[in-house]
PDB file of all heavy atoms in Angstrom:
ATOM      1  N   ARG E 180    -209.019  -2.029 108.721  1.00  0.00           N
ATOM      2  CA  ARG E 180    -209.558  -3.399 108.659  1.00  0.00           C
ATOM      3  C   ARG E 180    -210.627  -3.632 109.730  1.00  0.00           C
ATOM      4  O   ARG E 180    -211.641  -4.267 109.491  1.00  0.00           O
ATOM      5  CB  ARG E 180    -208.427  -4.434 108.808  1.00  0.00           C
ATOM      6  CG  ARG E 180    -207.545  -4.563 107.585  1.00  0.00           C
ATOM      7  CD  ARG E 180    -206.624  -5.778 107.661  1.00  0.00           C
ATOM      8  NE  ARG E 180    -205.681  -5.731 108.778  1.00  0.00           N
ATOM      9  CZ  ARG E 180    -204.570  -5.001 108.796  1.00  0.00           C
ATOM     10  NH1 ARG E 180    -204.241  -4.257 107.763  1.00  0.00           N
ATOM     11  NH2 ARG E 180    -203.768  -5.024 109.844  1.00  0.00           N
ATOM     12  N   ALA E 181    -210.379  -3.079 110.926  1.00  0.00           N
ATOM     13  CA  ALA E 181    -211.369  -3.237 111.999  1.00  0.00           C
ATOM     14  C   ALA E 181    -212.647  -2.474 111.646  1.00  0.00           C
ATOM     15  O   ALA E 181    -213.758  -2.958 111.868  1.00  0.00           O
ATOM     16  CB  ALA E 181    -210.784  -2.740 113.316  1.00  0.00           C
ATOM     17  N   SER E 182    -212.471  -1.282 111.080  1.00  0.00           N
ATOM     18  CA  SER E 182    -213.619  -0.463 110.679  1.00  0.00           C
ATOM     19  C   SER E 182    -214.459  -1.178 109.627  1.00  0.00           C
ATOM     20  O   SER E 182    -215.691  -1.250 109.729  1.00  0.00           O
ATOM     21  CB  SER E 182    -213.125   0.883 110.135  1.00  0.00           C
ATOM     22  OG  SER E 182    -214.181   1.631 109.589  1.00  0.00           O
ATOM     23  N   GLU E 183    -213.794  -1.732 108.651  1.00  0.00           N
ATOM     24  CA  GLU E 183    -214.507  -2.469 107.588  1.00  0.00           C
ATOM     25  C   GLU E 183    -215.382  -3.576 108.154  1.00  0.00           C
ATOM     26  O   GLU E 183    -216.413  -3.925 107.585  1.00  0.00           O
ATOM     27  CB  GLU E 183    -213.493  -3.171 106.663  1.00  0.00           C
ATOM     28  CG  GLU E 183    -213.023  -2.368 105.494  1.00  0.00           C
ATOM     29  CD  GLU E 183    -211.806  -3.051 104.843  1.00  0.00           C
ATOM     30  OE1 GLU E 183    -211.716  -4.299 104.869  1.00  0.00           O
ATOM     31  OE2 GLU E 183    -210.944  -2.306 104.325  1.00  0.00           O
ATOM     32  N   ARG E 184    -214.939  -4.133 109.266  1.00  0.00           N
ATOM     33  CA  ARG E 184    -215.684  -5.244 109.874  1.00  0.00           C
ATOM     34  C   ARG E 184    -216.679  -4.765 110.932  1.00  0.00           C
ATOM     35  O   ARG E 184    -217.232  -5.573 111.665  1.00  0.00           O
ATOM     36  CB  ARG E 184    -214.685  -6.242 110.459  1.00  0.00           C
ATOM     37  CG  ARG E 184    -213.911  -6.984 109.369  1.00  0.00           C
ATOM     38  CD  ARG E 184    -212.663  -7.674 109.910  1.00  0.00           C
ATOM     39  NE  ARG E 184    -212.017  -8.489 108.894  1.00  0.00           N
ATOM     40  CZ  ARG E 184    -211.189  -8.011 107.954  1.00  0.00           C
ATOM     41  NH1 ARG E 184    -210.918  -6.717 107.902  1.00  0.00           N
ATOM     42  NH2 ARG E 184    -210.636  -8.827 107.067  1.00  0.00           N
ATOM     43  N   GLY E 185    -216.851  -3.440 111.012  1.00  0.00           N
ATOM     44  CA  GLY E 185    -217.919  -2.908 111.851  1.00  0.00           C
ATOM     45  C   GLY E 185    -217.521  -2.417 113.229  1.00  0.00           C
ATOM     46  O   GLY E 185    -218.371  -1.962 113.996  1.00  0.00           O
ATOM     47  N   ALA E 186    -216.220  -2.496 113.573  1.00  0.00           N
ATOM     48  CA  ALA E 186    -215.799  -2.039 114.906  1.00  0.00           C
ATOM     49  C   ALA E 186    -215.993  -0.529 115.034  1.00  0.00           C
ATOM     50  O   ALA E 186    -215.865   0.211 114.060  1.00  0.00           O
ATOM     51  CB  ALA E 186    -214.336  -2.407 115.151  1.00  0.00           C
ATOM     52  N   ILE E 187    -216.302  -0.077 116.260  1.00  0.00           N
ATOM     53  CA  ILE E 187    -216.585   1.344 116.497  1.00  0.00           C
ATOM     54  C   ILE E 187    -215.526   2.032 117.353  1.00  0.00           C
ATOM     55  O   ILE E 187    -215.513   3.246 117.481  1.00  0.00           O
ATOM     56  CB  ILE E 187    -217.968   1.534 117.163  1.00  0.00           C
ATOM     57  CG1 ILE E 187    -218.046   0.739 118.477  1.00  0.00           C
ATOM     58  CG2 ILE E 187    -219.083   1.103 116.202  1.00  0.00           C
ATOM     59  CD1 ILE E 187    -219.297   1.037 119.297  1.00  0.00           C
ATOM     60  N   GLY E 188    -214.655   1.264 117.973  1.00  0.00           N
ATOM     61  CA  GLY E 188    -213.619   1.848 118.817  1.00  0.00           C
ATOM     62  C   GLY E 188    -212.432   0.915 118.884  1.00  0.00           C
ATOM     63  O   GLY E 188    -212.506  -0.246 118.451  1.00  0.00           O
ATOM     64  N   SER E 189    -211.335   1.437 119.428  1.00  0.00           N
ATOM     65  CA  SER E 189    -210.100   0.660 119.453  1.00  0.00           C
ATOM     66  C   SER E 189    -209.293   1.009 120.698  1.00  0.00           C
ATOM     67  O   SER E 189    -209.163   2.178 121.060  1.00  0.00           O
ATOM     68  CB  SER E 189    -209.317   0.989 118.177  1.00  0.00           C
ATOM     69  OG  SER E 189    -207.986   0.573 118.287  1.00  0.00           O
ATOM     70  N   LEU E 190    -208.776  -0.022 121.367  1.00  0.00           N
ATOM     71  CA  LEU E 190    -207.904   0.184 122.522  1.00  0.00           C
ATOM     72  C   LEU E 190    -206.613  -0.599 122.306  1.00  0.00           C
ATOM     73  O   LEU E 190    -206.650  -1.771 121.914  1.00  0.00           O
ATOM     74  CB  LEU E 190    -208.579  -0.297 123.809  1.00  0.00           C
ATOM     75  CG  LEU E 190    -209.797   0.502 124.282  1.00  0.00           C
ATOM     76  CD1 LEU E 190    -210.488  -0.228 125.435  1.00  0.00           C
ATOM     77  CD2 LEU E 190    -209.392   1.923 124.698  1.00  0.00           C
ATOM     78  N   LEU E 191    -205.503   0.054 122.564  1.00  0.00           N
ATOM     79  CA  LEU E 191    -204.189  -0.563 122.388  1.00  0.00           C
ATOM     80  C   LEU E 191    -203.658  -1.028 123.738  1.00  0.00           C
ATOM     81  O   LEU E 191    -203.688  -0.271 124.714  1.00  0.00           O
ATOM     82  CB  LEU E 191    -203.233   0.470 121.787  1.00  0.00           C
ATOM     83  CG  LEU E 191    -201.774   0.045 121.606  1.00  0.00           C
ATOM     84  CD1 LEU E 191    -201.655  -0.987 120.486  1.00  0.00           C
ATOM     85  CD2 LEU E 191    -200.906   1.262 121.293  1.00  0.00           C
TER      86      LEU E 191
END
Side-chain angles (χ1 to χ4, degrees):
R180 287 192 298 282
S182 173
E183 270 168 32
R184 290 164 174 82
I187 57 171
S189 164
L190 292 171
L191 176 71

